[in-house]
Amino acid sequence: MAVSYRELGLVNTREMFKKAMEGKYAVPAYNFNNLEQLQAIVTACVQTKSPLILQVSKGAREYANATMLRYMAMGATALAKEMGCEIPIALHLDHGDTFETCKDCVDFGFSSVMIDGSHHSFEDNIAVTKKVVEYAHQFDVTVEGELGVLAGIEDDVSAEKSHYTNPDEVEEFVKRTGVDSLAISIGTSHGAYKFKVKPGESVPPLRFDILEECEKRLPGFPIVLHGASSVVPKYVEIINNYGGKLDGAVGIPEEQLRKAAESAVCKINIDSDGRLAFTAMIRETLAKHPDEFDPRKYLKPARTELIELYKHKNLNVLGSAGKA
Ligand code: G3H
Ligand code: 13P
Ligand code: ZN
């Protein structure tokens, strides 16, 4: 049965982005797949009074069950209210791959969807994105599109390779599709291995020149950054100290994200950092307490650490704290 996101206590991203643009900060878009991640995200955003975009990938929908997710999102808005601070919360489909997936999410109570047509040709990307926009806007659900392909670790990113967003294309794309926000590629990538760097070397800076060009072509238009985890060294170290094997994991330095958040970048996507913090604490707790088999006992420290991580992001990286 179709349900409106408003019935779930959710909002779309329009007003959030308008305020973020004016206030020069970025709204956090945190992915979740389970109860503890959701509790941590909501708690951190309520405690820091930050607007919030709850992100669900196709994989998360398959893992947690679409119906269950609808009620989890409803639970999140109820929890925020119960904690005494009604922060705006959007439920967003991350990397929707087809019109059908996006439509299903609109019908299932999502307030925002991403149609990721970045792997298609320019014309095919426009066609599928426009179709999603036409459907979603009937229900006042906002739509994020993407232009440019985020580099993977295998891609050997270099300025010459045209993975980056071409600023000459953004205006036409936005005009012809009617999207509400646009994800661009300026050197971030998904996962925990964003760059190949030798010990002592620093990571290549993000392409702020491309971002600035996009801003010029689309004045006041919300830009989105994917692949924005910092891959916090502390968590990689804990994981490796307690039996894990994450060699060469590296992310985006916080100061570069702070700079991006002050620009037209209104939404910053973070998933891997939460995964790393969660895994680190579970590994450490189980290693120190090998007799423990009550999931609550080893998930609680992980959830507590997640709360601290997300509060830090809101306060010190995205600047979204106090903006709800
Ligand atoms: O951008 C991808 C997100 O980190 C979601 O990852 O598809 O493994 O849930 P996932
Ligand atoms: P990270 O893997 O850097 O956390 O990126 C997450 C993301 O972009 C989700 O869409
Ligand atoms: Zn992404």
Side-chain angles (χ1 to χ4, degrees):
M1 193 188 65
V3 66
S4 160
Y5 64 83
R6 291 184 194 84
E7 291 168 43
L8 308 181
L10 300 162
V11 298
N12 68 25
T13 57
R14 200 166 290 124
E15 192 61 22
M16 282 184 185
F17 289 166
K18 190 170 172 279
K19 288 187 177 164
M21 184 74 74
E22 286 163 6
K24 295 189 180 302
Y25 61 91
V27 180
Y30 296 134
N31 290 65
F32 78 98
N33 297 269
N34 66 19
L35 172 69
E36 286 76 14
Q37 288 173 316
L38 182 60
Q39 288 172 320
I41 293 168
V42 173
T43 303
C45 288
V46 167
Q47 286 182 0
T48 56
K49 294 189 171 40
S50 168
L52 165 64
I53 297 171
L54 281 173
Q55 250 179 190
V56 171
S57 69
K58 194 167 171 257
R61 274 190 107 214
E62 282 157 14
Y63 176 78
N65 179 283
T67 304
M68 182 66 98
L69 274 171
R70 172 196 292 185
Y71 292 104
M72 285 174 87
M74 204 169 157
T77 59
L79 174 64
K81 215 182 246 181
E82 194 183 289
M83 289 178 75
C85 179
E86 257 184 87
I87 56 170
I89 301 179
L91 179 65
H92 174 81
L93 169 68
D94 192 23
H95 294 284
D97 55 346
T98 59
F99 168 78
E100 287 71 26
T101 307
C102 293
K103 179 186 179 297
D104 202 43
C105 286
V106 171
D107 296 345
F108 248 81
F110 280 59
S111 60
S112 177
V113 292
M114 174 191 194
I115 172 71
D116 182 355
S118 61
H119 294 272
H120 297 311
S121 68
F122 185 64
E123 283 302 325
D124 289 352
N125 189 358
I126 287 183
V128 69
T129 305
K130 188 168 186 278
K131 193 171 171 193
V132 170
V133 170
E134 279 167 1
Y135 186 76
H137 280 184
Q138 293 176 66
F139 307 94
D140 207 20
V141 168
T142 39
V143 180
E144 174 184 324
E146 178 162 344
L147 260 187
V149 179
L150 260 65
I153 186 70
E154 306 305 334
D155 290 331
D156 258 337
V157 194
S158 70
E160 291 74 45
K161 296 242 170 92
S162 54
H163 286 288
Y164 297 117
T165 302
N166 177 358
D168 289 339
E169 292 181 343
V170 296
E171 211 180 334
E172 183 182 347
F173 184 83
V174 167
K175 246 188 210 145
R176 286 178 60 194
T177 58
V179 277
D180 302 283
S181 60
L182 182 69
I184 63 169
S185 171
I186 58 165
T188 61
S189 68
H190 291 107
Y193 301 90
K194 300 196 188 295
F195 307 101
K196 285 179 203 161
V197 283
K198 297 191 183 81
E201 251 178 38
S202 47
V203 302
L206 296 181
R207 291 290 304 273
F208 282 97
D209 55 326
I210 297 177
L211 172 59
E212 278 162 27
E213 273 306 313
C214 293
E215 286 184 87
K216 271 190 211 151
R217 317 291 172 102
L218 297 169
F221 190 80
I223 300 292
V224 176
L225 265 200
H226 281 249
S229 278
S230 291
V231 187
V232 183
K234 174 176 84 174
Y235 298 128
V236 175
E237 208 177 298
I238 295 173
I239 289 172
N240 287 340
N241 284 346
Y242 290 102
K245 197 170 179 344
L246 296 180
D247 296 330
V250 61
I252 313 293
E254 289 186 348
E255 56 277 13
Q256 294 200 33
L257 297 169
R258 263 196 291 274
K259 185 175 165 189
E262 286 169 10
S263 73
V265 171
C266 292
K267 171 175 181 271
I268 290 191
N269 287 11
I270 295 168
D271 186 1
S272 296
D273 277 345
R275 295 177 179 194
L276 290 166
F278 206 62
T279 302
M281 297 327 286
I282 292 171
R283 276 195 179 276
E284 184 178 280
T285 308
L286 288 177
K288 286 182 176 169
H289 306 279
D291 57 334
E292 195 51 75
F293 63 95
D294 179 345
R296 291 171 301 185
K297 297 279 168 53
Y298 56 83
L299 292 179
K300 198 174 169 187
R303 185 176 65 189
T304 304
E305 191 65 35
L306 271 189
I307 296 172
E308 291 314 308
L309 170 80
Y310 294 130
K311 281 168 72 171
H312 165 71
K313 300 264 183 203
N314 295 349
L315 282 161
N316 306 317
V317 185
L318 310 186
S320 64
K323 309 291 187 185

